[in-house]
Amino acid sequence: MYSVIILAAGNGSRLKTSTPKVLHKIGGLSLLDHVIGASKGINPNKIIVVTKPNFALDQLKYAKDIEVAIQKEPKGTGHAVQCGLSAYCDAAKTEENDWIFVLYADIPLISSETLQKMLDIATLNKKNGVVVLAMSSEGAKNLGKLEPAEEQGTIKGIVEAKDAENYNTELLPLCNCGLLIKASLLKKFIGEIKSSEATGEIYITEIVKIAYENGYVCRYYESGTNELSGANTLAEMAVLERNFQNIMREKFMANGVTLVAPETVFFSYDTQIESDVVVQPYVVFGENVRVKRGAVVGPFCVVEGADIREAQVGPFSRIRPGSEIHDGAKIGNFVEIKKSVISEKTKVNHLTYIGDSFVGKNTNIGAGTITCNYDGINKHKTNIGENVFVGSNSAIVAPVKIHDNVTIGAGSVITKDVPENSLAVARGLQKNIENWSKKREKQK
């Protein structure tokens, strides 16, 4: 059995923003949610988040089944783990093969696969007491290092950055990015961790030295900087975003998605794209987007909360939440679709806004058409049938229903339902005044 304690009580003062550090977003998801999501991927018995007082769980996407422990004062990571243990099971219920992950909320790109590999290492030998998740610290001055033990692949301590330069023993160029600790060991010895003379804080990293001195074997698992980099500044947050986007790009291309210019396409944490989709340059996918096999998303599109089937979207299209673009449909340049269904083989090609609407099959929406869905107080629905032709520069004022096989004359303002097989024209009659230019010249 294994559980997870996530340390999320840091102030994040170096970010210099009013938003708590752990709620800053990468790929549309908070740092803390990323770590919770990775933790849920290994199906732990418990996930305990250690936070500052007054932290509201409703700020999280993945708050379900999460327990919260409060660290009232910032007394270090060791003290935070002690707070987390208060939400863990009693000592009498702790089995010999129980393990506890200690993860950091500001290392958001950690994967479930990495956590599983740590578990695999931990359970290979009954003498194992700690597995440290490690990342290269070469070239970094503010990161601690691992102190190797006698047996290859094992360690006997984690040395803080301020002590590493003058340390007598050669250290591994690896730093701590998380811990997996035998539960019985942690509960027995966490009270023996002494406060730092320099800061007065208790550091959980000292558990490695204590475990080693009490006959446990301490190991490490190394992963890459793309996965394990943390963030203390907005500049570092931008690096995390870049790393996240690279991970997503590689995943989609490996699954058969064509990204014509990968570095220009941006994804949300929950973007779903099937194989045989083509994504042209400079496309942004927001939250809750699903793109089905065979779709083409053209350049400079923004898609949020939408379902795109085997359709063509773009260039320069905006597809907003609640929209469905069905097979064979075409959404063209400078078209905005909001909370609307565009049915099979329907075309909305130019300079158009379709909001709160249902548009049937094989319909053509002319350039400059607007569905006027808002009366200043409420939103209203427009229903357009199959095989409808809407002439350019038309305004369709909701609530209104346009039945099948209707033609709307260009420049019309439609305010009433239009029956099937009708032609609707709603505009002032054209009047030509002859010799107008001659009259104007005489007036001058």
Side-chain angles (χ1 to χ4, degrees):
M1 186 176 73
Y2 41 92
S3 295
V4 180
I5 296 175
I6 302 173
L7 307 187
N11 291 318
S13 55
R14 279 181 280 179
L15 290 174
K16 298 180 180 179
T17 68
S18 58
T19 301
K21 179 180 182 178
V22 298
L23 295 181
H24 276 262
K25 293 184 177 181
I26 300 296
L29 189 68
S30 73
L31 304 188
L32 179 52
D33 272 309
H34 274 284
V35 181
I36 293 173
S39 301
K40 287 188 173 184
I42 58 170
N43 298 312
N45 183 52
K46 282 187 178 184
I47 298 177
I48 301 159
V49 176
V50 182
T51 71
K52 295 190 295 184
N54 302 319
F55 184 87
L57 274 180
D58 60 9
Q59 301 172 96
L60 301 176
K61 293 275 186 183
Y62 300 147
K64 187 178 179 182
D65 301 324
I66 301 300
E67 296 187 37
V68 173
I70 303 299
Q71 186 182 24
K72 294 181 179 179
E73 299 178 62
K75 295 181 180 179
T77 55
H79 177 255
V81 173
Q82 286 179 327
C83 296
L85 281 174
S86 66
Y88 188 67
C89 62
D90 297 331
K93 297 180 181 179
T94 302
E95 303 291 339
E96 182 57 29
N97 60 346
D98 289 352
W99 292 81
I100 297 177
F101 283 95
V102 176
L103 305 178
Y104 306 112
D106 60 355
I107 300 181
L109 302 186
I110 189 171
S111 66
S112 302
E113 291 76 16
T114 290
L115 299 181
Q116 185 59 54
K117 287 175 182 176
M118 293 175 70
L119 274 170
D120 294 342
I121 292 170
T123 54
L124 281 176
N125 191 323
K126 290 184 178 180
K127 292 184 179 180
N128 289 339
V130 181
V131 178
V132 175
L133 178 57
M135 176 188 77
S136 172
S137 62
E138 211 152 358
K141 295 181 179 180
N142 61 335
L143 299 175
K145 291 181 170 61
L146 307 188
E147 182 178 5
E150 298 75 20
E151 182 185 341
Q152 187 174 3
T154 68
I155 57 175
K156 58 182 177 181
I158 300 175
V159 180
E160 295 294 323
K162 58 183 175 57
D163 301 322
E165 291 183 8
N166 302 318
Y167 212 70
N168 296 328
T169 307
E170 186 174 349
L171 302 173
L172 299 173
L174 299 171
C175 65
N176 160 53
C177 296
L179 301 160
L180 177 57
I181 310 167
K182 186 165 282 190
S184 56
L185 181 159
L186 181 61
K187 297 189 75 170
K188 182 177 180 180
F189 293 110
I190 193 168
E192 295 186 15
I193 300 177
K194 296 178 180 178
S195 301
S196 165
E197 293 181 4
T199 64
E201 295 185 349
I202 301 170
Y203 297 115
I204 190 58
T205 49
E206 288 297 304
I207 200 70
V208 177
K209 180 181 178 182
I210 293 172
Y212 173 79
E213 291 174 347
N214 282 275
Y216 289 92
V217 177
C218 302
R219 302 184 181 276
Y220 62 90
Y221 172 74
E222 182 180 357
S223 190
T225 54
N226 279 355
E227 179 183 2
L228 299 182
S229 293
N232 289 309
T233 66
L234 289 178
E236 291 173 347
M237 203 73 73
V239 173
L240 285 182
E241 183 69 46
R242 183 183 67 201
N243 292 347
F244 170 80
Q245 294 299 336
N246 285 335
I247 290 169
M248 296 293 281
R249 291 162 187 156
E250 290 172 8
K251 180 187 82 169
F252 284 123
M253 288 190 289
N255 290 336
V257 177
T258 299
L259 304 180
V260 175
E263 68 281 2
T264 68
V265 181
F266 293 83
F267 302 97
S268 181
Y269 70 98
D270 61 350
T271 304
Q272 299 177 42
I273 305 180
E274 294 184 354
S275 62
D276 295 319
V277 168
V278 177
V279 182
Q280 297 286 346
Y282 300 101
V283 174
V284 176
F285 294 103
E287 290 183 44
N288 194 27
V289 170
R290 296 168 300 281
V291 184
K292 299 292 185 181
R293 183 188 301 270
V296 177
V297 183
F300 297 96
C301 289
V302 176
V303 185
E304 306 166 275
D307 191 346
I308 298 174
R309 313 286 173 84
E310 191 177 346
Q312 182 176 319
V313 174
F316 295 99
S317 300
R318 184 183 181 193
I319 313 298
R320 291 174 57 190
S323 296
E324 297 177 16
I325 314 299
H326 286 246
D327 295 349
K330 291 185 178 180
I331 309 299
N333 47 286
F334 305 104
V335 172
E336 180 177 349
I337 308 293
K338 176 254 179 186
K339 201 176 180 181
S340 296
V341 174
I342 308 300
S343 299
E344 290 86 344
K345 298 183 180 180
T346 284
K347 297 177 182 179
V348 190
N349 277 332
H350 324 279
L351 303 161
T352 294
Y353 171 74
I354 303 294
D356 296 279
S357 301
F358 177 89
V359 184
K361 299 176 184 178
N362 298 302
T363 286
N364 187 90
I365 307 294
T369 295
I370 297 172
T371 58
C372 307
N373 55 328
Y374 184 49
D375 64 8
I377 299 175
N378 298 307
K379 297 287 179 70
H380 299 283
K381 184 87 173 177
T382 297
N383 196 310
I384 300 174
E386 298 181 5
N387 303 306
V388 171
F389 182 90
V390 179
S392 298
N393 202 34
S394 293
I396 302 172
V397 183
V400 69
K401 184 169 184 178
I402 299 171
H403 289 261
D404 298 345
N405 305 308
V406 162
T407 298
I408 304 293
S412 294
V413 178
I414 302 299
T415 59
K416 298 177 181 179
D417 291 358
V418 182
E420 192 171 350
N421 300 316
S422 299
L423 166 65
V425 180
R427 60 179 182 235
L429 294 176
Q430 180 174 331
K431 181 179 180 181
N432 297 331
I433 301 175
E434 296 182 2
N435 299 317
W436 176 255
S437 58
K438 292 180 181 178
K439 292 178 180 178
R440 294 285 292 170
E441 285 298 321
K442 288 181 179 179
Q443 289 173 358
K444 290 181 182 178

